[in-house]
Amino acid sequence: MTVDLVTALPEVVRGPLESGVLGRALEEDTATVRVHDLRASAEDPQDQIDDYPFGGGGGMVLKPGPLVRCLEALEDKHGVPDDVIYLTPDGERFTQKSANQLSRKEYIVLVTGRYKGIDERVRRRWITREVSIGDYVLSGGELPALVLIDALVRLQPGALGDARSALTDSFQDDLLGAPVYTRPASFRGMDVPEVLRSGDHERIRRWRFDESVRRTRARRPDLLDESEKLDEEAPSSAPDGDKTA
Ligand code: SAM
């Protein structure tokens, strides 16, 4: 997967793109992320990338010219992207399901806003999808773009040391993940559940599934409601309750 990220503040994204699972995956070419400074698409160095909003009111708006020049230059160089995604609080809510779906795209462009956002005409004509990472407002789209990139890149084949790990994460199968433990087996009077040390893979699988369901019922019953609704809508589909598969 290739991601072109358009931003007015490239320095905000550089560190996270070089660290952890994401940094390693990009270094090993499991995915490619190219960062583009919006200011480089201004007509001249004095050209502002933002301007006052028509109709007055506080805040500035990112001008259409530099942004569209940047998007057109990307298309000339790399072809038509599968999606041009604008990160915005009023977009569709980003979920693990959208991450799974987007992770299968070959080439996407992410557009990040600043100030009051980007000119509406760019949204109408050049943006194909709008995504929000939650019901709150950040000062720029760089952190939301990094959230998307991290969620998508870790799903690329080869990104995680053990690919099964992603399958047992929360929200896959509409369930939260089961509790995890590591050594020592006893820590300050608290023991790791015996079943996890039993070596009995079938018991461990069942225990993890039961814990996932218990935790989901306690913390996010809405997820169970959703999957029950889906089961009712599609009675012929086989339920896949095994998060350890
Ligand atoms: N005026 C906009 C509104 O009311 O929806 C908010 C603009 S916000 C201050 C500046 C930029 O941050 C946005 O253009 C967007 O790119 C990004 N942003 C802020 N919160 C976001 C969120 N929850 N999800 C995705 N992007 C967000």
Side-chain angles (χ1 to χ4, degrees), residues 112-126:
T112 62
R114 279 266 148 192
Y115 320 115
K116 292 296 284 179
I118 65 174
D119 188 285
E120 185 67 20
R121 291 163 292 185
V122 182
R123 295 177 70 164
R124 292 228 188 121
R125 183 159 316 161
W126 283 272

Side-chain angles (χ1 to χ4, degrees), residues 195-196 198-209:
V195 57
L196 294 179
S198 67
D200 181 337
H201 296 296
E202 179 53 23
R203 269 184 73 212
I204 293 172
R205 189 193 65 78
R206 266 189 283 119
W207 181 88
R208 285 186 171 148
F209 177 66

Side-chain angles (χ1 to χ4, degrees), residues 4 6 71 75 80-87 107-111 122-123 125-131:
D4 276 321
V6 181
L71 294 176
E75 190 170 318
V80 181
D82 295 317
D83 261 319
V84 181
I85 300 172
Y86 174 44
L87 284 307
Y107 173 36
I108 59 173
V109 175
L110 300 182
V111 174
V122 182
R123 295 177 70 164
R125 183 159 316 161
W126 283 272
I127 301 294
T128 60
R129 191 163 176 172
E130 301 193 323
V131 173

